[in-house]
Amino acid sequence: MGLSVLIIVNPKSGTFKTSRLVMAMNTFKSAGFGVDIFFTTKTGDAEARTKEAVAAHNGAYDMIVSAGGDGTINEVANGAVFSQTPVGVLPFGTSSVLCNDLGMKGDIRKAVKRLINGTPYDISLGRIRTNGAPERTRYFIEMAGVGFDAAAVYGLNRQLKAYTGIGAYIYSGINCLINNNFDQMAVSIDGGFIACNTVIISNGTCYGGDIRMAPKADVRNPSLYGTIFRYSGRVEFVAAVADVFLGRHVLNKSKYVEQVEFKKMTIEGGAFHCHVDGDYFGKTPAEVPAEVDVVQGALRLVY
C-alpha cells in the first residue's frame, strides 16, 4: 500500500489559486503519494475533518497538510493534537506566519518537496484556557495575543481583508488606536505579577508575517515567550510598536516593551480580547484568570 496524504484546503485563503493546488497535488503524486482533497466552507471544517481523519481512518493517512492560512493550520493542529499523525503546512494564507518561521513561504513545489523529504518533529504547542462559563481551551502553534492586537483582529473587516490582505489588519489597528481605552491587565508569569496593556505570546519566532517577534522561540522547545507592552497613551503605544520593529524589545532597550521566557501565565483584571494564531478566540472572563501554558510534544509537525 502506497503513501497517502490528505490536503485540507481553504479556498478563501489569501494566496489560494487552483493552479497552485494542482501543482501541490501533482508534486505529491509524482513522489508516489495518493492524494485526497477536502475543501473547507466555514470555520471549524478543517478541525472537524482532521479529527475524523485521525480517528476514523486508523492511520491511513501518512500526512495531513493544511493548505490555507494560519487559521487553517491552527484548526488542523487542534484536530490532530496528541495524535501520531504527522501534520504539514503549505503557504496559501495572507501572511502564513508558520511557513515564514519554517522557511517554506513562496514556491509551492519546493514547499511540497520539503514535506516529502522532511522530518516529523514532536513540537510543543501553546495552550490558552478561559475558565469562565463556558470553559474554553485552544491550542496555538505560533502565537496568541491578549489586548490591543486581539482587538484589531476582533474589529477586522473580512470583506476588506479579501481585497487588501494585510491592509485590513492595519486599518483595524488604526481604528483600535483611535478608540483604545488603554485598559490595564494583571499578568502573572511563573508567579510574578506584571501590570501591562497588551501581551503577545510566542511559541514560534514570527508574527504578522515576517516580523521576528521572538527570535529565540522554537516550536520544538517546551517554553513560550511573552512580549509585554506598557503604554499610557497613543504616543507611547506608537513608540512601543517602533521598538518591536527595531528589535529593541529583545535587547532590553525599550521603555515600553519587554520580553520574558515562561512556561505558565495567568491574565486577569478584566475582560480582554484574545486571538490564537491570528483568529479571534473571544474575551477572557472578567471573573477568573485566563491561563496560558506550553504543552510539550503535543503535535507531530513535518518540515
Side-chain angles (χ1 to χ4, degrees):
M1 189 173 181
L3 299 172
S4 62
V5 60
L6 170 64
I7 305 178
I8 296 180
V9 183
N10 179 0
K12 295 182 180 179
S13 57
T15 59
F16 172 80
K17 290 183 180 179
T18 301
S19 60
R20 300 181 85 224
L21 176 59
V22 171
M23 183 181 294
M25 293 170 57
N26 290 339
T27 306
F28 272 117
K29 287 178 179 179
S30 67
F33 280 80
V35 180
D36 286 343
I37 302 293
F38 174 80
F39 288 96
T40 66
T41 60
K42 62 184 183 299
T43 300
D45 280 355
E47 183 174 350
R49 182 66 183 96
T50 301
K51 287 181 177 179
E52 180 185 73
V54 167
H57 289 272
N58 194 26
Y61 290 114
D62 297 280
M63 192 187 311
I64 299 174
V65 174
S66 167
D70 296 304
T72 307
I73 184 59
N74 177 273
E75 287 198 25
V76 170
N78 276 269
V81 65
F82 304 126
S83 77
Q84 294 301 306
T85 303
V87 166
V89 61
L90 293 174
F92 277 76
T94 302
S95 57
S96 296
V97 177
L98 179 60
C99 289
N100 276 342
D101 207 2
L102 301 178
M104 295 177 65
K105 187 99 181 260
D107 189 279
I108 290 296
R109 185 181 288 109
K110 289 182 179 179
V112 171
K113 288 182 178 179
R114 277 279 304 274
L115 295 179
I116 292 169
N117 299 311
T119 300
Y121 294 96
D122 291 325
I123 70 163
S124 298
L125 294 178
R127 176 174 59 185
I128 184 164
R129 289 179 285 188
T130 57
N131 299 315
E135 180 177 339
R136 299 182 67 199
T137 298
R138 196 76 185 165
Y139 297 91
F140 58 93
I141 299 181
E142 278 290 315
M143 60 190 172
V146 182
F148 183 91
D149 70 324
V153 172
Y154 174 74
L156 192 66
N157 185 311
R158 300 293 170 181
Q159 289 183 325
L160 185 63
K161 180 185 175 184
Y163 286 103
T164 68
I166 199 71
Y169 290 94
I170 296 172
Y171 179 77
S172 182
I174 292 171
N175 282 337
C176 286
L177 182 59
I178 293 171
N179 299 300
N180 197 304
N181 293 322
F182 305 106
D183 295 329
Q184 281 202 339
M185 64 184 73
V187 172
S188 173
I189 297 177
D190 295 335
F193 273 96
I194 300 173
C196 63
N197 308 89
T198 292
V199 58
I200 294 173
I201 303 119
S202 298
N203 187 42
T205 299
C206 295
Y207 175 91
D210 55 4
I211 300 170
R212 292 178 62 80
M213 180 67 69
K216 294 182 181 179
D218 188 326
V219 293
R220 288 176 290 180
N221 292 340
S223 62
L224 300 171
Y225 286 80
T227 304
I228 312 296
F229 291 76
R230 301 184 190 89
Y231 43 83
S232 59
R234 294 174 181 84
V235 173
E236 290 187 358
F237 174 83
V238 172
V241 172
D243 283 346
V244 170
F245 273 94
L246 294 171
R248 293 170 60 86
H249 65 302
V250 296
L251 300 173
N252 295 319
K253 293 184 177 181
S254 174
K255 291 174 56 178
Y256 311 109
V257 193
E258 67 174 307
Q259 190 167 92
V260 293
E261 184 177 1
F262 73 95
K263 295 186 183 301
K264 184 176 181 179
M265 170 189 293
T266 60
I267 301 165
E268 55 188 307
F272 303 99
H273 291 293
C274 176
H275 77 84
V276 288
D277 286 327
D279 274 7
Y280 189 67
F281 178 64
K283 279 192 170 183
T284 62
E287 66 278 5
V288 292
E291 297 180 356
V292 182
D293 61 1
V294 62
V295 184
Q296 188 173 5
L299 185 73
R300 305 206 79 190
L301 182 67
V302 179
Y303 59 98

